[in-house]
Amino acid sequence: MTASTLTTARTFLDDLTQVVEGVRAGAVRRDRERQYAVAEIDQLRELGFWSLTVPVEHGGLGLDQETLVQAVLLVAAADGSLGQIPQNHFMTVERIRLTAAPGQREHWLRVLGAGAVLGNASAEPGERPPGESASALHGGPGSWRLTGRKVYSTGALLADHIAVQVRDPSGAQRTVLVPRDADGVVVHDDWQSMGQRTTASGVSEYHEVAIDDIAVLDHPGDPVATYRVSALGQLVHAAIDAGLAEGAVGEALALARTVHGGRGSGAREFGDDVLGVALLGELRVTALSARRLVESAARRLAALEQDSSLEEVADVFYEVAAAKLASTRAALTATAGLFEVGGSSSTRPELGLDRYWRDARTHTLHDAARWKPFAIGRWLIAGDVADPWSIAHPFRPLGELEQQVDHAGPASDRSAS
C-alpha cells in the first residue's frame, strides 16, 4: 500500500467511523421493527463504501482487502444485518475484477465506481451447488432470457443490480447482473429468522427476464481466479463475525462499568469481582485474536499478484478458512459472554443486546464450520484442496488443479490492477 493510498484508507476509515455511530444508534430499533437501513446504505454510498475496491480509474477508492475488512468489521460491530449486505457485493466486484472480459470489466467497474450496490441470488432450495443451479439462461447473444427462483437473496430488495448464479444452455455456470427493477424480476420480502432480520433478503424470482450480453459473465476455469474469489467471499464472512464479536465485547465493557459484582463474589462493584474481570479479559482476547487472524488473511490476500501460483493462492485460501473458523468461535463466545458480564438485567428486551447473539448464531450457520479443521488439516498433510464453494468436500489434489491453470485463457484479461 503506497503512502497516498494509506492516507486515503485512513481518511475513509475515520469518516466511516463517524457514520457507523449513527448506524449503531438505530440498530436496535431496526432489528425490533424489522426496518431496513435504507438511509444508512445511502450514507455508505456517499462515503464511497460500495466502491471501496473499485480501481480509482473507474471511479472507486482503489483500496485493498485490508481496508475492506476494517470497514466491514466497523459496520458489523454496529449492525450485524447491515454488515451482511456487503458480503456478496464485494465478492461479485472481485469476480468482475479478476475474471470478466475486458469490455465487461470496464463497463461494470464504471457502474460500481458510481456507487451501484449489488444484491445476491445464488442459493436454491435443496442446497444445490452453484454448478447445479436450476436457474437457467436461455437463448443466446442478443436474445438472452433468464428464468429461475432463488432463496436467501441477500440485499436484493435494496440493490441496484442482482448477481444471479445460473447455468447457460451448454450447462456452464454464469453470473448474470440483473437490474433490480427489470421486467420479470420479483423479490419477496419474506426472509424470516431470529437473527440478521434486516438483510433485505428473501426469495427472488426471474420470469423470462431479458438480459443484455454485457450482463452475462463467464466463470473461467482458472482455479487461481476461482480460489481468489472464494477467499474474498469467505474473508468478508469472517470480518462480519469478528465485528459481531467486537461489538459484543464493547457492550460487555459498558455493562461492566454499571452492574454489580456477581453473586458469590463478595464484591459490590463488578470491577472488584476478580472472576468477572477475568471473564471480560477473556472475551477481549477471543475477539482480538479473531480480528488479528482476519487482518492477517486480508494482508496475504491483498499481496497476491497476477502471476501468483495456485499453491500460494491455496495457502492464502486456507488462512482465510482459519480466520473464518476463529471468527465463528469468537462471535458465538463473545455474544453469549456479554450476558455473563451483564447478568439478568442485561437481558431486558429494550436493551436489544440479544441481537448480537441472534445475528452471530444466524450468520455462523452460513457454512459448516465443523468441516474447516478437517479441510485445513487435509491441506497440511496431503496437499488436497477443498471445494471453493463448500470449503470441504469434494477435495482435489493440488497437482490435478494445477493442470487447469494453463488452459484458463490469458491472465492479462483478469488483472486485478
Side-chain angles (χ1 to χ4, degrees):
M1 187 180 290
T2 65
S4 61
T5 303
L6 184 59
T7 299
T8 301
R10 287 173 174 167
T11 300
F12 168 76
L13 291 172
D14 286 344
D15 292 343
L16 179 61
T17 299
Q18 296 180 37
V19 170
V20 161
E21 290 307 310
V23 170
R24 181 179 289 106
V28 172
R29 175 187 56 79
R30 288 192 299 273
D31 174 71
R32 182 184 299 122
E33 300 175 4
R34 199 169 177 271
Q35 297 293 317
Y36 296 126
V38 177
E40 289 77 8
I41 287 174
D42 283 339
Q43 286 179 320
L44 292 175
R45 193 195 312 262
E46 293 171 5
L47 199 63
F49 176 87
W50 303 104
S51 60
L52 191 154
T53 58
V54 175
V56 173
E57 61 267 28
H58 294 97
L61 296 183
L63 300 174
D64 63 13
Q65 291 90 341
E66 290 189 73
T67 308
L68 174 60
V69 297
Q70 300 289 343
V72 173
L73 275 155
L74 278 170
V75 176
D79 184 338
S81 288
L82 181 56
Q84 174 67 43
I85 294 174
Q87 193 274 331
N88 284 286
H89 169 92
F90 285 109
M91 186 173 179
T92 303
V93 174
E94 190 78 344
R95 185 183 303 283
I96 292 168
R97 291 173 67 238
L98 294 177
T99 72
Q104 291 176 313
R105 184 177 185 273
E106 177 71 21
H107 171 81
W108 287 109
L109 288 181
R110 288 287 178 194
V111 171
L112 292 160
V117 178
L118 301 178
N120 165 62
S122 298
E124 295 190 0
E127 190 70 355
R128 291 189 186 94
E132 298 176 10
S133 172
S135 298
L137 198 59
H138 304 286
S143 62
W144 292 114
R145 293 278 172 174
L146 169 64
T147 60
R149 181 175 183 272
K150 298 289 187 176
V151 296
Y152 309 137
S153 303
T154 302
L157 282 164
L158 303 179
D160 299 300
H161 292 80
I162 305 172
V164 187
Q165 303 298 313
V166 300
R167 288 194 293 173
D168 68 13
S170 72
Q173 186 180 352
R174 305 280 195 107
T175 294
V176 178
L177 299 177
V178 185
R180 166 66 185 84
D181 57 359
D183 290 341
V185 175
V186 180
V187 183
H188 299 277
D189 188 2
D190 59 0
W191 165 244
Q192 296 291 326
S193 175
M194 69 176 183
Q196 291 196 310
R197 302 179 67 232
T198 58
T199 56
S201 182
V203 170
S204 60
E205 299 176 356
Y206 307 88
H207 304 281
E208 293 295 323
V209 182
I211 304 296
D212 293 334
D213 291 350
I214 203 163
V216 180
L217 306 180
D218 288 337
H219 283 221
D222 181 3
V224 170
T226 298
Y227 280 91
R228 286 183 66 173
V229 172
S230 175
L232 188 282
Q234 282 284 302
L235 181 65
V236 178
H237 276 308
I240 294 166
D241 290 334
L244 284 167
E246 288 203 338
V249 172
E251 298 284 8
L253 176 58
L255 288 168
R257 289 170 172 155
T258 61
V259 299
H260 56 71
R263 184 176 299 175
S265 67
R268 187 172 186 84
E269 304 294 334
F270 184 89
D272 296 322
D273 178 345
V274 293
L275 294 184
V277 172
L279 171 60
L280 184 63
E282 291 285 358
L283 295 179
R284 169 63 174 159
V285 170
T286 297
L288 183 60
S289 298
R291 183 188 185 102
R292 293 297 181 251
L293 267 175
V294 170
E295 291 172 340
S296 173
R299 278 192 298 274
R300 290 199 64 198
L301 189 58
L304 291 175
E305 302 286 351
Q306 181 180 320
D307 59 353
S308 292
S309 68
L310 178 59
E311 183 174 9
E312 183 181 2
V313 170
D315 198 58
V316 174
F317 170 81
Y318 274 108
E319 183 163 337
V320 171
K324 178 64 167 63
L325 178 62
S327 65
T328 293
R329 293 170 173 173
L332 295 176
T333 297
T335 57
L338 80 88
F339 295 105
E340 295 289 335
V341 172
S344 298
S345 63
S346 64
T347 67
R348 297 199 310 275
E350 63 268 24
L351 297 178
L353 297 177
D354 59 311
R355 69 185 174 90
Y356 290 97
W357 181 84
R358 288 186 288 105
D359 287 349
R361 181 65 283 183
T362 300
H363 182 252
T364 55
L365 296 173
H366 180 273
D367 50 78
R370 63 182 176 271
W371 276 101
K372 286 185 170 59
F374 174 79
I376 294 167
R378 188 157 171 176
W379 166 247
L380 293 174
I381 200 168
D384 289 342
V385 185
D387 178 77
W389 177 71
S390 70
I391 326 297
H393 290 287
F395 291 87
R396 298 175 67 183
L398 177 65
E400 179 182 318
L401 285 171
E402 285 177 328
Q403 294 176 13
Q404 300 178 18
V405 174
D406 292 337
H407 304 288
S412 60
D413 288 352
R414 302 190 188 96
S415 170
S417 62

